Amino acid sequence: MGQTMRIAIAADHNGLALKAHLIPLLTAQGHEVDDRGAHDGDGEVVDYPPLCADVCARVTDGRADRGIVLGGSGMGEVIACNKIPGIRAGLCHDRFTTEISRGNNDANVIVMGAKVLDHETAARLLDLWLTTPFKGGRHQHRLAQITALERGEPLP
């Protein structure tokens, strides 16, 4: 097991069952999990942008080391998360995209689609994501370019 982390997690109505599956696994690994919603029981459709903003704010202000956002496909969620300066959200649906999101892109938020992944695959990918280190090197230069884009600065 890798280092324990403070993790903020959120899911829209499509991701509630997956979130309920992942939280006990994360806490059993020693992580401190902050469930930001939505919560089961209301049966209503939930807009994901506010959930994304909330999880991402916790990551950027240091209240969470990493963030997890779960939706149906994850596509809208990854777009919303990446609108927040300082967030590098990766849409992870397989081993390759998961390893790249952390190793090359130093993603601080993982987005997964509950209509794309079964619970066990999602759990395996999440574990991989939490334990894959950032490679640095040439990838650090690219992250600096992404930060410059966020600031509206020209790239060389």
Side-chain angles (χ1 to χ4, degrees):
M1 180 173 80
Q3 88 181 53
T4 58
M5 296 178 219
R6 295 168 298 141
I7 299 171
I9 188 170
D12 71 0
H13 53 283
N14 292 305
L16 286 174
L18 180 55
K19 181 171 63 112
H21 177 75
L22 296 175
I23 288 174
L25 299 176
L26 291 166
T27 56
Q29 293 174 349
H31 299 295
E32 179 185 321
V33 181
D34 183 4
D35 183 353
R36 306 304 302 160
H39 296 98
D40 215 358
D42 60 17
E44 294 182 22
V45 172
V46 176
D47 290 333
Y48 58 82
L51 296 169
C52 296
D54 181 66
V55 166
C56 292
R58 292 185 175 280
V59 172
T60 59
D61 72 14
R63 288 178 284 174
D65 301 307
R66 302 263 181 95
I68 302 167
V69 177
L70 308 170
S73 70
M75 192 61 67
E77 290 83 359
V78 78
I79 292 168
C81 289
N82 281 316
K83 297 292 183 186
I84 309 298
I87 293 298
R88 294 174 307 279
L91 180 58
C92 299
H93 287 158
D94 56 33
R95 185 173 186 85
F96 177 74
T97 55
T98 301
E99 288 175 336
I100 292 295
S101 78
R102 281 290 310 135
N104 292 15
N105 304 125
D106 197 21
N108 49 14
V109 174
I110 186 172
V111 179
M112 293 189 287
K115 292 183 177 182
V116 178
L117 299 170
D118 64 73
H119 289 186
E120 294 310 314
T121 302
R124 283 194 305 274
L125 293 178
L126 180 56
D127 186 58
L128 176 64
W129 187 79
L130 289 170
T131 58
T132 298
F134 175 54
K135 295 176 186 175
R138 70 178 185 266
H139 303 292
Q140 184 60 53
H141 173 69
R142 294 171 185 157
L143 290 186
Q145 291 176 322
I146 291 170
T147 300
L149 287 173
E150 283 181 340
R151 294 180 183 151
E153 299 169 359
L155 299 181

